[in-house]
Short mmCIF file of all heavy atoms in Angstrom, two decimals:
data_model
loop_
_atom_site.label_atom_id
_atom_site.label_comp_id
_atom_site.label_asym_id
_atom_site.label_seq_id
_atom_site.Cartn_x
_atom_site.Cartn_y
_atom_site.Cartn_z
N LYS A 183 -22.52 43.98 60.55
CA LYS A 183 -21.21 44.14 60.10
C LYS A 183 -21.06 45.59 59.64
O LYS A 183 -21.89 46.24 59.18
CB LYS A 183 -20.77 43.27 58.95
CG LYS A 183 -20.92 41.79 59.23
CD LYS A 183 -20.53 40.96 58.03
CE LYS A 183 -20.63 39.54 58.40
NZ LYS A 183 -20.42 38.70 57.15
N ILE A 187 -16.63 46.88 55.54
CA ILE A 187 -16.37 45.37 55.03
C ILE A 187 -16.98 45.33 53.58
O ILE A 187 -16.24 44.69 52.66
CB ILE A 187 -17.12 44.49 55.86
CG1 ILE A 187 -16.31 44.47 57.29
CG2 ILE A 187 -17.03 43.01 55.27
CD1 ILE A 187 -16.97 43.45 58.31
N MET A 201 -6.94 42.36 37.06
CA MET A 201 -5.92 41.36 36.94
C MET A 201 -6.18 40.29 35.84
O MET A 201 -5.22 39.86 35.20
CB MET A 201 -5.49 40.73 38.24
CG MET A 201 -4.88 41.61 39.30
SD MET A 201 -4.62 40.80 40.83
CE MET A 201 -3.45 39.61 40.33
N ILE A 238 6.46 12.83 6.05
CA ILE A 238 7.06 12.43 4.83
C ILE A 238 5.89 11.61 3.99
O ILE A 238 5.45 10.60 4.47
CB ILE A 238 8.26 11.59 4.90
CG1 ILE A 238 9.34 12.36 5.76
CG2 ILE A 238 8.83 11.40 3.45
CD1 ILE A 238 9.83 13.67 5.28
N HIS A 240 5.01 9.33 0.93
CA HIS A 240 5.59 8.25 0.12
C HIS A 240 4.97 8.35 -1.30
O HIS A 240 3.71 8.31 -1.50
CB HIS A 240 5.30 6.90 0.65
CG HIS A 240 5.74 5.77 -0.06
ND1 HIS A 240 5.01 4.54 -0.23
CD2 HIS A 240 6.93 5.59 -0.88
CE1 HIS A 240 5.72 3.76 -0.95
NE2 HIS A 240 6.84 4.27 -1.28
N SER A 266 6.15 17.63 5.09
CA SER A 266 7.45 18.31 5.19
C SER A 266 8.46 17.65 4.23
O SER A 266 9.61 18.16 4.08
CB SER A 266 8.08 18.27 6.60
OG SER A 266 8.15 16.94 7.03
N ARG A 281 27.48 0.78 -17.24
CA ARG A 281 27.44 -0.40 -18.04
C ARG A 281 26.81 -1.57 -17.32
O ARG A 281 26.08 -2.37 -17.95
CB ARG A 281 28.93 -0.75 -18.26
CG ARG A 281 29.13 -2.03 -19.18
CD ARG A 281 30.58 -2.43 -19.15
NE ARG A 281 31.16 -2.79 -17.77
CZ ARG A 281 30.95 -3.92 -17.21
NH1 ARG A 281 30.25 -4.86 -17.77
NH2 ARG A 281 31.41 -4.21 -16.03
N ASN A 301 13.52 17.30 -8.06
CA ASN A 301 14.11 17.80 -6.79
C ASN A 301 14.18 19.21 -6.62
O ASN A 301 14.00 19.76 -5.50
CB ASN A 301 15.63 17.23 -6.82
CG ASN A 301 15.82 15.75 -6.33
OD1 ASN A 301 15.97 15.52 -5.23
ND2 ASN A 301 15.64 14.84 -7.32
N GLU A 329 20.08 -11.45 -17.07
CA GLU A 329 21.37 -11.21 -16.66
C GLU A 329 21.75 -11.23 -15.23
O GLU A 329 22.95 -11.23 -14.84
CB GLU A 329 21.90 -9.87 -17.31
CG GLU A 329 21.15 -8.66 -16.83
CD GLU A 329 21.51 -7.44 -17.72
OE1 GLU A 329 22.65 -6.96 -17.64
OE2 GLU A 329 20.59 -7.02 -18.44
N LEU A 403 21.79 -9.42 9.18
CA LEU A 403 22.61 -8.27 9.83
C LEU A 403 23.86 -8.05 9.12
O LEU A 403 24.30 -7.01 8.86
CB LEU A 403 22.87 -8.51 11.39
CG LEU A 403 21.63 -8.25 12.28
CD1 LEU A 403 22.08 -8.55 13.67
CD2 LEU A 403 21.23 -6.83 12.17
N GLY A 408 26.81 -4.49 6.13
CA GLY A 408 27.80 -4.33 5.06
C GLY A 408 27.37 -3.08 4.08
O GLY A 408 28.23 -2.30 3.76
N SER A 431 11.52 -10.29 14.76
CA SER A 431 11.76 -11.59 15.15
C SER A 431 13.12 -11.72 15.92
O SER A 431 13.34 -12.79 16.41
CB SER A 431 11.82 -12.49 14.00
OG SER A 431 12.93 -12.25 13.18
N ASP A 441 25.33 -4.06 15.96
CA ASP A 441 26.05 -3.01 15.44
C ASP A 441 25.19 -2.12 14.49
O ASP A 441 25.55 -1.92 13.38
CB ASP A 441 27.34 -3.43 14.80
CG ASP A 441 28.31 -2.20 14.38
OD1 ASP A 441 28.12 -1.15 15.05
OD2 ASP A 441 29.08 -2.37 13.48
N TYR A 457 -1.77 -1.02 17.96
CA TYR A 457 -1.36 -1.76 19.20
C TYR A 457 -1.58 -3.21 19.04
O TYR A 457 -0.98 -4.01 19.79
CB TYR A 457 -2.32 -1.27 20.35
CG TYR A 457 -1.91 0.02 20.83
CD1 TYR A 457 -2.62 1.27 20.50
CD2 TYR A 457 -0.92 0.25 21.84
CE1 TYR A 457 -2.35 2.45 21.01
CE2 TYR A 457 -0.63 1.39 22.41
CZ TYR A 457 -1.31 2.56 22.03
OH TYR A 457 -1.06 3.80 22.50
N SER A 492 -9.98 4.14 -2.42
CA SER A 492 -9.37 4.21 -1.06
C SER A 492 -10.52 4.07 0.03
O SER A 492 -11.47 4.62 -0.04
CB SER A 492 -8.43 5.37 -0.78
OG SER A 492 -7.37 5.33 -1.65
N VAL A 533 -0.74 -5.83 -9.91
CA VAL A 533 -1.51 -4.93 -10.70
C VAL A 533 -1.46 -3.55 -9.89
O VAL A 533 -1.11 -3.52 -8.79
CB VAL A 533 -2.92 -5.33 -10.89
CG1 VAL A 533 -2.97 -6.52 -11.72
CG2 VAL A 533 -3.68 -5.47 -9.61
N CYS A 535 -2.95 -0.64 -7.85
CA CYS A 535 -3.90 -0.39 -6.82
C CYS A 535 -4.27 1.11 -6.98
O CYS A 535 -4.14 1.74 -7.95
CB CYS A 535 -3.59 -0.89 -5.49
SG CYS A 535 -2.07 -0.44 -4.81
N LEU A 537 -4.76 4.77 -7.49
CA LEU A 537 -3.94 5.77 -8.03
C LEU A 537 -3.80 6.92 -7.09
O LEU A 537 -4.69 7.28 -6.36
CB LEU A 537 -4.52 6.31 -9.39
CG LEU A 537 -4.69 5.21 -10.48
CD1 LEU A 537 -5.54 5.81 -11.68
CD2 LEU A 537 -3.36 4.73 -11.00
N ARG A 550 -4.36 15.75 8.35
CA ARG A 550 -5.14 16.57 9.28
C ARG A 550 -5.08 15.94 10.66
O ARG A 550 -4.97 16.61 11.71
CB ARG A 550 -6.52 16.63 8.83
CG ARG A 550 -7.41 17.68 9.65
CD ARG A 550 -8.75 17.89 8.94
NE ARG A 550 -9.62 18.62 9.86
CZ ARG A 550 -9.58 19.87 10.12
NH1 ARG A 550 -8.67 20.75 9.64
NH2 ARG A 550 -10.49 20.34 11.05
N GLY A 584 -22.85 10.11 -2.77
CA GLY A 584 -22.71 10.69 -4.09
C GLY A 584 -21.30 10.96 -4.56
O GLY A 584 -20.34 10.31 -4.13
N ALA A 642 -32.68 -5.88 -17.80
CA ALA A 642 -33.07 -4.55 -18.34
C ALA A 642 -32.02 -3.38 -18.16
O ALA A 642 -31.86 -2.65 -19.10
CB ALA A 642 -34.39 -4.16 -17.84
N ARG A 695 -29.39 -13.72 -27.17
CA ARG A 695 -29.60 -15.06 -27.82
C ARG A 695 -30.77 -15.84 -27.26
O ARG A 695 -31.64 -16.49 -28.02
CB ARG A 695 -28.39 -15.94 -27.58
CG ARG A 695 -27.25 -15.51 -28.63
CD ARG A 695 -26.08 -16.56 -28.62
NE ARG A 695 -25.56 -16.89 -27.27
CZ ARG A 695 -24.49 -16.31 -26.75
NH1 ARG A 695 -23.87 -15.37 -27.32
NH2 ARG A 695 -24.15 -16.70 -25.55
#
Side-chain angles (χ1 to χ4, degrees):
K183 297 179 181 179
I187 293 178
M201 290 178 66
I238 308 297
H240 176 218
S266 60
R281 180 189 61 80
N301 278 269
E329 60 190 293
L403 285 176
S431 64
D441 190 24
Y457 282 100
S492 296
V533 299
C535 47
L537 298 170
R550 186 169 168 81
R695 288 194 301 269

